[in-house]
Structure formats: structure tokens, C-alpha cells
Amino acid sequence: MTSLRQQLTDRLTDQIAAQIAQGVIPPYQYSYPPRSTYRPLPEGKWSIPEIWAMDLANYQVPELNLYLHVPFCDRKCGFCNLYTIISTDEDVFDAYTDALCTQIEDHAEIIQARRLRTVYIGGGTPALLKPRHFEQIFTTLARIYPNWRSTVEEVAVEATPSSIADAPHEFKALIDMGLTRANVGIQSLVPREIREAGRGGEDENVIRRAIRTAHELGLPDLSTDLIMGFAGQTPETWRHSVDELAALKPTTISTYFLTVRPDAWFSKTGAYQYMWQPELYDRYDYARQVFLDHGYVQEGSVRYKTPGRGGYAQKVLTFHGVPLLGLGVGARSYTSVLDYMTGSVKPSTAEVADYIRKAGNHEIVPVTGIELTAEEIVRKRLVLDSFDLDLSELDRFGYQKHAAEFEPVLDAAEANGLLHRLGRRIQLTPKGFKYRDVLSWMFYSDPVKGLDREYYENLHAANSRARKNMGATPVRITGVDLREGAA
């Protein structure tokens, strides 16, 4: 008689095979639970020192990633639903930097209790700030953690091509301050697609100049990206972008499947649906082969790096379970007890102003987030870290208690050629890298799936143009849509 575990494994094996055959493309899993699951926290229940004290007890070797959020952009990309506002006001930048540095100092004990591994200034477009702002941030960090440059293996910032190409002296100042990596949004090297992305002010020539400038200035790691799925993109235009970017030789390249959300402009244009495009996997295959042929190695499902130079240390460490302290309006913090934000998930100039005031008065508290049970901690590692994960690391969070649910998923993944099982270590195969997000979605808990769906369906319901273009009841708005008839 077939055991219940084998029956479940067989069913899941067929389910994974069917999703691969259909070309299912869930959103890229870079956090779990995702931001869409955050809800208002009970007032007064959580304090930041208590959260991090509880987190500290879960680690034998306490480490920390530091993320500093700068929400300002000079334009909004059509696909973006991150926490950003449009502003180029240097007076606002001055006040915001003051507030951010105050918040760093207020978290001194939390940072000092851990070995600081990475510092990432993201956004938004933090490269809009001036060198004096970065110098203020780094000076503040040195005041509370004097040896941070000795312990930190990556100091990164997000930038635009024009911020490098048009102001090389300012970018050189950042390198002189210790910058090791810049994430530069490229998305495409085809003029029509660059305009479609909403980056019309940064044409392919600016992109080429930016990459050359970064090389000439000696930036250790230039991280770039391309996006599959823009309206009007063809296999030929995709191959053009891939071939040219490989020839330009940035140290790190990411390739993302386009995800359309109801809070991004693309949902209103009529050119997109929430559903996936199965043919995009052919573009994934082409890019992967080109980058491997050019000497890159694959670091993750979306990312390729030059050995010894490229990569994205903060993301890798976060996936491995190293906590992340997020400071600044819109920043998320990831701990082993609570993932939280000190503001809402909806950006606004009013909230930025409120953040500046509250940070100056030392009044920042967790506002939205999601509490993590031991089971959700296990799920987080399975969702994010299947690239290379020793399951015994999860036993202290109760893996064995839920093994009857997780093990059949891993068996089914192995049966479909997605992973290797090496004792209790799991590692993705090349096919597993390709379909990693399909596998990751299978580890989502039902409550997290429900919160994610509720959030995006409510946004869709409030977006009249999205309802007109995509229907009153959106299909495939989130992950793998498991509702009857949606496949």
C-alpha cells in the first residue's frame, strides 16, 4: 500500500510538472513574508529594543545587515511599486539625512551587539544625494561602530546611469569613501524599451557611458539588470540587450521577469496583464547561456557574477537568515521574531515629512509588519534559501515538527530535477535555478497567501483603470493563482 507521504509526493510531483509545462512565472521571491502581508501592529505591543533583544537570543554568532532607505527619485518607472516619492529638493535631502543619522545613532546598541556584515543604501535613487550626505552617514556610522570598514564586506548604493555618467566626480567621491558596489538600473539597451520602462531621459548611450565610467573609476562591483517582458519586447530585442550588456562586462548582471502590480503605472496602460508569459523562459535560457559563455557564474535565480568580484552579499546573507536592520522611511527590518516597517506600505510626501519629524524627536516605533512564528521562520528559509541550505539549521525552529509537510515538497522538487539532496543539505540544480520561484511559492503558508492576495485585490479594486484593463476579478494577481479555473 502506498504511504500517505508517497501519495502527497506524487501529487506534488505532478503539480510542479504541470506548472513548469504551463510556464508559470510567480513574482521573484526576495522576501518572505512579502511586504503585501504587513498589517498595522497593535499599538504599544512591540518596541524596537525588545524586538532585537528577542532576535539576538536566536543566534550563536550574531551578525547584521544594515539597509538605509532613501525614498527620493526624479522620475517613477512604469513597473515600480517600491516606496518612492518624486523629489530633487536638496533642502529635503538635508533634513532627511539628518533624520536618518539620528535614527542610526538611536540604534547604536542594536548594531554594536552584532558583527556588521553589509551596508546597503537603497531607494529610490540615493545617488541623488550629494557626497556631503554620504559623508555624514558614514561619519555617523563610524561614531557608533568605529571598525565598520574592517568588518563590512560590501558597501553598496543604488544609482541611475545618468548619476554616474553625468557626475563622475561625485561618483568618484563615493568610491573614495569606500563604496564597493553600485546597483544601476538599466532594464534594456533598446531605445523603445527604455522609454517604455519610463526611463526616457537615460538612453542607451548614457547607459554605455555609465558602465565605462564605473570601470574607469575603479568601482569594484557594478551591478546591472535587464527585464524580460516589456510591451513590444521581442526575442530579437532581448538578445540585443543581453549580447551588448555581456560585451560591456559589468561585474554583476540580474535578469528579472517583469511583474505587474496594481500599484504600478503599467497596470493602467492596457498593455499588460497580471498573468505570466510562458515564452519568457526562452529569454531566460538565452541570457543564462550567454552570461555563462562570457565567464559569469550564476549566484541566484536572477543573478550572475564575475567570480571573485561580483555578487550581492547583502541579499545572499539575508537569504541565509542573517537579520536586516532597515532604517529610513519605507525601510523594512527582517528579524527572527517580527518583520516590520516604521511607516505604512504606501509612500507619500506627508509620511516622509512625518518621518523626519519623528526621527528628530526619537519617536520612531514599528507601525506595520507581520509576526513570525517558528513555522514561518522555517518557511522563510525554504522560500528564500533553497540555493544551498542545510536543513539541520532549521531544527531549532521546529523543522521536524512540520517535516511531514515540507519533505514531500522537496521530494517532488527532486523528482522534477529541481534540486539535489545531499544528506540534509539541499541545493538547486540548473533547472531549479530556472524554476526557483515556482518551488518557493509551494512553501508559502496559507495565511501568508491569503494576506498577499487580499492586499493586491484591494489595490486592484481601488484602481479603476486596472479594473477596466484587467477585469473586475483579477486572475493571477499573486504568485501561483490556485483558485479553481485560474490555471
Side-chain angles (χ1 to χ4, degrees):
M1 179 180 294
T2 305
S3 68
L4 289 176
R5 172 171 172 171
Q6 189 59 52
Q7 292 177 28
L8 179 57
T9 298
D10 291 344
R11 179 173 63 80
L12 292 172
T13 299
D14 292 342
Q15 182 178 328
I16 292 174
Q19 290 171 4
I20 290 174
Q22 293 170 21
V24 169
I25 303 178
Y28 171 51
Q29 312 292 332
Y30 69 91
S31 66
Y32 180 88
R35 180 188 63 168
S36 54
T37 64
Y38 292 12
R39 297 295 186 270
L41 296 171
E43 188 173 351
K45 178 178 180 181
W46 297 96
S47 76
I48 290 174
E50 289 172 346
I51 293 168
W52 287 95
M54 294 169 65
D55 174 81
L56 193 62
N58 286 327
Y59 297 95
Q60 290 180 317
V61 183
E63 298 179 311
L64 185 68
N65 295 301
L66 180 61
Y67 175 80
L68 307 175
H69 190 72
V70 178
F72 310 112
C73 285
D74 59 0
R75 65 175 70 89
K76 188 83 167 179
C77 296
F79 54 85
C80 179
N81 73 332
L82 300 177
Y83 195 105
T84 62
I85 65 168
I86 307 301
S87 178
T88 56
D89 187 333
E90 286 196 30
D91 289 338
V92 174
F93 295 173
D94 290 344
Y96 188 85
T97 303
D98 288 344
L100 188 59
C101 289
T102 298
Q103 200 183 12
I104 292 172
E105 291 178 330
D106 286 349
H107 286 76
E109 291 186 8
I110 292 169
I111 297 171
Q112 291 164 359
R114 296 156 174 83
R115 185 174 188 270
L116 191 59
R117 296 291 304 275
T118 63
V119 176
Y120 182 35
I121 306 174
T125 310
L128 288 173
L129 301 183
K130 297 300 180 182
R132 70 175 188 277
H133 297 121
F134 289 98
E135 186 172 2
Q136 182 181 351
I137 290 168
F138 294 149
T139 298
T140 301
L141 190 55
R143 191 158 51 246
I144 67 163
Y145 201 96
N147 281 353
W148 74 276
R149 293 187 184 278
S150 300
T151 67
V152 165
E153 62 188 80
E154 177 181 85
V155 182
V157 68
E158 290 184 7
T160 60
S162 59
S163 68
I164 298 175
D166 297 341
H169 58 290
E170 293 189 0
F171 191 70
K172 177 62 163 59
L174 296 185
I175 297 175
D176 292 342
M177 291 180 205
L179 182 71
T180 65
R181 175 168 61 85
N183 278 18
V184 181
I186 289 176
Q187 286 90 52
S188 175
L189 282 156
V190 176
R192 181 180 67 252
E193 294 173 13
I194 295 170
R195 292 192 297 272
E196 173 68 16
R199 306 183 68 94
E202 298 183 314
D203 64 22
E204 68 280 11
N205 293 318
V206 173
I207 292 171
R208 295 185 189 106
R209 284 198 293 119
I211 295 175
R212 286 196 298 268
T213 299
H215 287 327
E216 291 167 358
L217 294 176
L219 177 70
D221 183 11
L222 176 65
S223 180
T224 59
D225 64 14
L226 296 173
I227 292 180
M228 298 169 275
F230 287 128
Q233 186 182 74
T234 66
E236 292 74 25
T237 62
W238 173 250
R239 291 196 291 268
H240 170 82
S241 290
V242 168
D243 293 345
E244 181 167 0
L245 188 56
L248 289 169
K249 298 181 179 179
T251 43
T252 303
I253 300 174
S254 297
T255 57
Y256 297 102
F257 295 109
L258 178 66
T259 298
V260 175
R261 297 296 201 186
D263 48 350
W265 170 249
F266 278 173
S267 69
K268 303 178 182 181
T269 66
Y272 298 93
Q273 292 290 322
Y274 296 131
M275 66 179 63
W276 49 80
Q277 298 173 254
E279 66 273 13
L280 297 185
Y281 277 117
D282 293 333
R283 298 179 200 177
Y284 170 97
D285 289 337
Y286 181 83
R288 181 179 186 275
Q289 191 59 55
V290 168
F291 298 143
L292 294 182
D293 289 346
H294 278 75
Y296 292 86
V297 296
Q298 193 165 9
E299 183 178 67
S301 55
V302 302
R303 191 165 51 256
Y304 305 84
K305 67 177 182 180
T306 303
R309 288 191 62 195
Y312 190 160
Q314 184 166 108
K315 191 69 69 181
V316 171
L317 289 169
T318 302
F319 285 4
H320 286 342
V322 176
L324 181 142
L325 173 61
L327 304 179
V329 67
R332 284 174 267 175
S333 291
Y334 305 140
T335 79
S336 57
V337 293
L338 181 79
D339 287 358
Y340 69 90
M341 297 172 64
T342 56
S344 72
V345 298
K346 185 175 177 57
S348 68
T349 55
E351 186 166 80
V352 171
D354 191 52
Y355 164 80
I356 291 172
R357 180 185 62 80
K358 286 183 176 178
N361 293 331
H362 313 283
E363 296 173 350
I364 298 292
V365 296
V367 174
T368 54
I370 183 168
E371 187 172 351
L372 297 178
T373 62
E375 178 186 345
E376 292 293 8
I377 295 171
V378 172
R379 290 182 182 276
K380 173 182 282 197
R381 292 292 300 281
L382 290 168
V383 167
L384 300 177
D385 204 19
S386 54
F387 304 105
D388 181 22
L389 174 61
D390 185 347
L391 297 175
S392 63
E393 295 178 26
L394 307 182
D395 287 344
R396 60 198 172 103
F397 296 113
Y399 179 87
Q400 296 296 346
K401 181 179 179 181
H402 302 282
E405 180 179 358
F406 299 139
E407 288 291 316
V409 178
L410 297 174
D411 289 342
E414 185 178 31
N416 276 281
L418 302 186
L419 58 78
H420 304 290
R421 300 199 71 164
L422 313 168
R424 294 200 68 198
R425 181 174 293 278
I426 61 172
Q427 292 183 340
L428 292 183
T429 65
K431 184 178 180 181
F433 276 85
K434 181 177 180 178
Y435 296 108
R436 174 258 188 174
D437 292 327
V438 171
L439 175 60
S440 291
W441 185 257
M442 299 186 76
F443 292 113
Y444 270 54
S445 69
D446 288 338
V448 167
K449 288 180 182 178
L451 289 169
D452 182 66
R453 170 168 297 286
E454 177 188 62
Y455 176 77
Y456 284 116
E457 286 189 338
N458 286 342
L459 286 180
H460 180 86
N463 185 337
S464 60
R465 292 181 68 174
R467 292 200 311 275
K468 178 181 178 182
N469 292 325
M470 303 182 186
T473 304
V475 175
R476 293 169 174 162
I477 196 171
T478 173
V480 178
D481 196 320
L482 300 178
R483 291 177 302 162
E484 185 177 355

